[in-house]
PDB file of all heavy atoms in Angstrom:
ATOM      1  N   PHE A 628       0.166  14.230   7.675  1.00 96.00           N
ATOM      2  CA  PHE A 628       0.912  14.193   8.947  1.00 96.00           C
ATOM      3  C   PHE A 628       0.508  15.200   9.927  1.00 96.00           C
ATOM      4  O   PHE A 628      -0.192  16.224   9.566  1.00 96.00           O
ATOM      5  CB  PHE A 628       2.450  14.308   8.592  1.00 96.00           C
ATOM      6  CG  PHE A 628       2.862  15.731   8.259  1.00 96.00           C
ATOM      7  CD1 PHE A 628       3.257  16.657   9.270  1.00 96.00           C
ATOM      8  CD2 PHE A 628       2.979  16.114   6.973  1.00 96.00           C
ATOM      9  CE1 PHE A 628       3.664  17.879   8.932  1.00 96.00           C
ATOM     10  CE2 PHE A 628       3.434  17.411   6.607  1.00 96.00           C
ATOM     11  CZ  PHE A 628       3.769  18.278   7.608  1.00 96.00           C
ATOM     12  N   PHE A 640       3.582  12.364  13.585  1.00 96.00           N
ATOM     13  CA  PHE A 640       2.745  11.167  13.123  1.00 96.00           C
ATOM     14  C   PHE A 640       2.497  11.327  11.605  1.00 96.00           C
ATOM     15  O   PHE A 640       2.043  12.373  11.205  1.00 96.00           O
ATOM     16  CB  PHE A 640       1.447  11.102  13.864  1.00 96.00           C
ATOM     17  CG  PHE A 640       1.629  11.004  15.340  1.00 96.00           C
ATOM     18  CD1 PHE A 640       1.701  12.121  16.116  1.00 96.00           C
ATOM     19  CD2 PHE A 640       1.648   9.794  15.920  1.00 96.00           C
ATOM     20  CE1 PHE A 640       1.812  11.983  17.533  1.00 96.00           C
ATOM     21  CE2 PHE A 640       1.799   9.600  17.320  1.00 96.00           C
ATOM     22  CZ  PHE A 640       1.895  10.841  18.083  1.00 96.00           C
ATOM     23  N   LYS A 655       3.400   3.742  -7.719  1.00 87.00           N
ATOM     24  CA  LYS A 655       4.121   3.282  -6.572  1.00 87.00           C
ATOM     25  C   LYS A 655       5.329   4.149  -6.311  1.00 87.00           C
ATOM     26  O   LYS A 655       5.643   4.609  -5.205  1.00 87.00           O
ATOM     27  CB  LYS A 655       4.590   1.842  -6.713  1.00 87.00           C
ATOM     28  CG  LYS A 655       3.401   0.829  -6.702  1.00 87.00           C
ATOM     29  CD  LYS A 655       3.861  -0.548  -6.926  1.00 87.00           C
ATOM     30  CE  LYS A 655       2.797  -1.544  -7.044  1.00 87.00           C
ATOM     31  NZ  LYS A 655       3.174  -2.934  -7.294  1.00 87.00           N
ATOM     32  N   ARG A 656       6.072   4.424  -7.381  1.00 87.00           N
ATOM     33  CA  ARG A 656       7.266   5.281  -7.285  1.00 87.00           C
ATOM     34  C   ARG A 656       6.938   6.692  -6.774  1.00 87.00           C
ATOM     35  O   ARG A 656       7.553   7.231  -5.853  1.00 87.00           O
ATOM     36  CB  ARG A 656       8.016   5.386  -8.657  1.00 87.00           C
ATOM     37  CG  ARG A 656       9.293   6.303  -8.586  1.00 87.00           C
ATOM     38  CD  ARG A 656       9.845   6.557 -10.021  1.00 87.00           C
ATOM     39  NE  ARG A 656       8.817   7.070 -10.944  1.00 87.00           N
ATOM     40  CZ  ARG A 656       8.432   8.368 -10.976  1.00 87.00           C
ATOM     41  NH1 ARG A 656       8.983   9.218 -10.124  1.00 87.00           N
ATOM     42  NH2 ARG A 656       7.596   8.747 -11.904  1.00 87.00           N
ATOM     43  N   LEU A 662       6.201  10.000   0.158  1.00 91.00           N
ATOM     44  CA  LEU A 662       6.407   9.592   1.593  1.00 91.00           C
ATOM     45  C   LEU A 662       7.767   9.961   2.049  1.00 91.00           C
ATOM     46  O   LEU A 662       8.008  10.478   3.099  1.00 91.00           O
ATOM     47  CB  LEU A 662       6.081   8.099   1.757  1.00 91.00           C
ATOM     48  CG  LEU A 662       6.228   7.595   3.172  1.00 91.00           C
ATOM     49  CD1 LEU A 662       5.254   8.325   4.108  1.00 91.00           C
ATOM     50  CD2 LEU A 662       5.975   6.072   3.235  1.00 91.00           C
ATOM     51  N   THR A 664       9.809  12.252   0.903  1.00 92.00           N
ATOM     52  CA  THR A 664       9.918  13.696   1.068  1.00 92.00           C
ATOM     53  C   THR A 664       9.274  14.150   2.360  1.00 92.00           C
ATOM     54  O   THR A 664       9.869  14.993   3.090  1.00 92.00           O
ATOM     55  CB  THR A 664       9.270  14.417  -0.136  1.00 92.00           C
ATOM     56  OG1 THR A 664       9.983  14.064  -1.356  1.00 92.00           O
ATOM     57  CG2 THR A 664       9.268  15.957  -0.006  1.00 92.00           C
ATOM     58  N   PRO A 677      10.202  11.794  18.329  1.00 94.00           N
ATOM     59  CA  PRO A 677       9.658  10.460  18.037  1.00 94.00           C
ATOM     60  C   PRO A 677       8.741  10.570  16.772  1.00 94.00           C
ATOM     61  O   PRO A 677       7.884  11.472  16.769  1.00 94.00           O
ATOM     62  CB  PRO A 677       8.889  10.115  19.260  1.00 94.00           C
ATOM     63  CG  PRO A 677       9.492  10.895  20.373  1.00 94.00           C
ATOM     64  CD  PRO A 677       9.859  12.223  19.682  1.00 94.00           C
ATOM     65  N   ASN A 685      -0.447  -1.689   2.525  1.00 85.00           N
ATOM     66  CA  ASN A 685      -0.633  -2.651   1.419  1.00 85.00           C
ATOM     67  C   ASN A 685       0.655  -3.420   1.166  1.00 85.00           C
ATOM     68  O   ASN A 685       1.093  -3.646   0.107  1.00 85.00           O
ATOM     69  CB  ASN A 685      -1.057  -1.910   0.177  1.00 85.00           C
ATOM     70  CG  ASN A 685      -2.558  -1.710   0.185  1.00 85.00           C
ATOM     71  OD1 ASN A 685      -3.319  -2.601   0.479  1.00 85.00           O
ATOM     72  ND2 ASN A 685      -3.023  -0.459  -0.050  1.00 85.00           N
ATOM     73  N   VAL A 693       0.308 -15.759   7.318  1.00 74.00           N
ATOM     74  CA  VAL A 693       0.381 -14.487   6.590  1.00 74.00           C
ATOM     75  C   VAL A 693       1.284 -14.579   5.392  1.00 74.00           C
ATOM     76  O   VAL A 693       2.334 -15.160   5.485  1.00 74.00           O
ATOM     77  CB  VAL A 693       0.848 -13.331   7.536  1.00 74.00           C
ATOM     78  CG1 VAL A 693       1.028 -12.032   6.789  1.00 74.00           C
ATOM     79  CG2 VAL A 693      -0.101 -13.207   8.694  1.00 74.00           C
ATOM     80  N   GLY A 697       3.751  -6.892  -1.454  1.00 78.00           N
ATOM     81  CA  GLY A 697       4.461  -5.601  -1.493  1.00 78.00           C
ATOM     82  C   GLY A 697       5.790  -5.578  -0.807  1.00 78.00           C
ATOM     83  O   GLY A 697       6.113  -4.726  -0.042  1.00 78.00           O
ATOM     84  N   LEU A 704      10.598   0.075   4.480  1.00 85.00           N
ATOM     85  CA  LEU A 704      10.227   0.468   5.884  1.00 85.00           C
ATOM     86  C   LEU A 704      11.132  -0.138   6.900  1.00 85.00           C
ATOM     87  O   LEU A 704      11.587   0.514   7.856  1.00 85.00           O
ATOM     88  CB  LEU A 704       8.779   0.068   6.168  1.00 85.00           C
ATOM     89  CG  LEU A 704       7.682   0.875   5.461  1.00 85.00           C
ATOM     90  CD1 LEU A 704       6.351   0.161   5.472  1.00 85.00           C
ATOM     91  CD2 LEU A 704       7.602   2.307   6.016  1.00 85.00           C
ATOM     92  N   PHE A 722      -5.934  -7.993   7.000  1.00 85.00           N
ATOM     93  CA  PHE A 722      -6.846  -8.071   5.881  1.00 85.00           C
ATOM     94  C   PHE A 722      -7.071  -9.551   5.665  1.00 85.00           C
ATOM     95  O   PHE A 722      -6.203 -10.225   5.100  1.00 85.00           O
ATOM     96  CB  PHE A 722      -6.329  -7.362   4.623  1.00 85.00           C
ATOM     97  CG  PHE A 722      -7.347  -7.227   3.531  1.00 85.00           C
ATOM     98  CD1 PHE A 722      -8.482  -6.496   3.698  1.00 85.00           C
ATOM     99  CD2 PHE A 722      -7.130  -7.901   2.308  1.00 85.00           C
ATOM    100  CE1 PHE A 722      -9.368  -6.410   2.639  1.00 85.00           C
ATOM    101  CE2 PHE A 722      -8.027  -7.788   1.238  1.00 85.00           C
ATOM    102  CZ  PHE A 722      -9.167  -7.016   1.451  1.00 85.00           C
ATOM    103  N   ASN A 726     -12.787 -11.995   8.146  1.00 77.00           N
ATOM    104  CA  ASN A 726     -13.424 -10.739   8.507  1.00 77.00           C
ATOM    105  C   ASN A 726     -14.724 -10.592   7.735  1.00 77.00           C
ATOM    106  O   ASN A 726     -14.714 -10.507   6.544  1.00 77.00           O
ATOM    107  CB  ASN A 726     -12.499  -9.541   8.248  1.00 77.00           C
ATOM    108  CG  ASN A 726     -13.089  -8.199   8.635  1.00 77.00           C
ATOM    109  OD1 ASN A 726     -14.284  -8.072   8.737  1.00 77.00           O
ATOM    110  ND2 ASN A 726     -12.244  -7.210   8.929  1.00 77.00           N
ATOM    111  N   VAL A 736      -3.205 -11.378   4.861  1.00 85.00           N
ATOM    112  CA  VAL A 736      -2.058 -10.443   4.767  1.00 85.00           C
ATOM    113  C   VAL A 736      -2.072  -9.440   5.976  1.00 85.00           C
ATOM    114  O   VAL A 736      -3.161  -8.992   6.373  1.00 85.00           O
ATOM    115  CB  VAL A 736      -1.968  -9.714   3.451  1.00 85.00           C
ATOM    116  CG1 VAL A 736      -1.564 -10.654   2.348  1.00 85.00           C
ATOM    117  CG2 VAL A 736      -3.350  -9.060   3.046  1.00 85.00           C
ATOM    118  N   ILE A 741       2.288  -0.088  12.255  1.00 92.00           N
ATOM    119  CA  ILE A 741       2.826   1.116  12.971  1.00 92.00           C
ATOM    120  C   ILE A 741       4.274   1.007  12.948  1.00 92.00           C
ATOM    121  O   ILE A 741       4.851   0.029  13.521  1.00 92.00           O
ATOM    122  CB  ILE A 741       2.234   1.299  14.353  1.00 92.00           C
ATOM    123  CG1 ILE A 741       0.758   1.268  14.399  1.00 92.00           C
ATOM    124  CG2 ILE A 741       2.761   2.575  14.984  1.00 92.00           C
ATOM    125  CD1 ILE A 741       0.084   1.200  15.775  1.00 92.00           C
ATOM    126  N   SER A 754       1.520  -4.966  21.752  1.00 91.00           N
ATOM    127  CA  SER A 754       0.997  -4.810  20.372  1.00 91.00           C
ATOM    128  C   SER A 754      -0.008  -5.933  20.113  1.00 91.00           C
ATOM    129  O   SER A 754       0.080  -7.037  20.642  1.00 91.00           O
ATOM    130  CB  SER A 754       2.151  -4.927  19.357  1.00 91.00           C
ATOM    131  OG  SER A 754       2.966  -6.032  19.620  1.00 91.00           O
ATOM    132  N   MET A 769     -26.374   1.876   5.965  1.00 81.00           N
ATOM    133  CA  MET A 769     -25.219   1.770   6.886  1.00 81.00           C
ATOM    134  C   MET A 769     -24.218   0.800   6.271  1.00 81.00           C
ATOM    135  O   MET A 769     -24.606  -0.329   5.819  1.00 81.00           O
ATOM    136  CB  MET A 769     -25.652   1.340   8.207  1.00 81.00           C
ATOM    137  CG  MET A 769     -26.639   2.250   8.925  1.00 81.00           C
ATOM    138  SD  MET A 769     -26.030   3.933   9.169  1.00 81.00           S
ATOM    139  CE  MET A 769     -25.028   3.670  10.613  1.00 81.00           C
ATOM    140  N   PRO A 771     -20.016  -0.887   6.688  1.00 76.00           N
ATOM    141  CA  PRO A 771     -18.844  -0.966   7.562  1.00 76.00           C
ATOM    142  C   PRO A 771     -17.765   0.108   7.199  1.00 76.00           C
ATOM    143  O   PRO A 771     -17.590   0.413   6.046  1.00 76.00           O
ATOM    144  CB  PRO A 771     -18.270  -2.353   7.291  1.00 76.00           C
ATOM    145  CG  PRO A 771     -19.308  -3.077   6.596  1.00 76.00           C
ATOM    146  CD  PRO A 771     -20.196  -2.023   5.936  1.00 76.00           C
TER     147      PRO A 771
END
Side-chain angles (χ1 to χ4, degrees):
F628 74 87
F640 301 90
K655 292 176 185 179
R656 180 188 54 77
L662 181 61
T664 298
N685 278 311
V693 175
L704 287 165
F722 188 63
N726 181 337
V736 287
I741 304 171
S754 52
M769 300 299 280

